[in-house]
Amino acid sequence: RALVKLSEGYVAARGAAALPGPPGATGSDDDDDDDGGAPGAPGWSPLAGAPVASLHGVGAYASDAHALFCEGTLGVAPRDHALRWWYAWALERRESERRERRAARG
């Protein structure tokens, strides 16, 4: 039942674009979708503007993990202890890379 509710929430958030088409079919209207770019592009999300937390069964961990790993958001610290550890590591790595670039420039 939880999977059905999650799926219904996903389809409601994405509309008909979330439903798979017939095998081998290609979506000719994908160019005018406001989905944040092509799949795999930075910041791309299949939810396109619908908050992940609004889906049934998605809690704080899943919402924070989606923001960190799918959207690449490092603006707000996550609530989960393991995600906070990864978040601190990611921030330190980003700062280290910035310092290295500045040093290389002179």
Side-chain angles (χ1 to χ4, degrees):
R1 291 182 193 183
L3 180 59
V4 170
K5 285 191 176 194
L6 175 67
S7 299
E8 288 171 347
Y10 178 81
V11 170
R14 280 292 285 150
L19 299 174
T26 59
S28 60
D29 62 345
D30 285 347
D31 292 338
D32 50 38
D33 285 348
D34 186 20
D35 62 359
W44 180 83
S45 171
L47 298 174
V52 174
S54 68
L55 298 174
H56 177 78
V58 174
Y61 177 84
S63 178
D64 289 347
H66 184 271
L68 290 172
F69 303 121
C70 298
E71 297 174 358
T73 303
L74 291 177
V76 178
R79 295 162 274 194
D80 179 75
H81 72 283
L83 290 178
R84 280 194 308 262
W85 177 85
W86 184 89
Y87 175 79
W89 171 83
L91 287 178
E92 178 56 37
R93 181 174 176 218
R94 183 173 68 177
E95 287 303 314
S96 176
E97 289 172 352
R98 285 181 181 170
R99 284 189 297 267
E100 289 174 5
R101 282 195 302 266
R102 277 190 229 129
R105 280 189 263 160

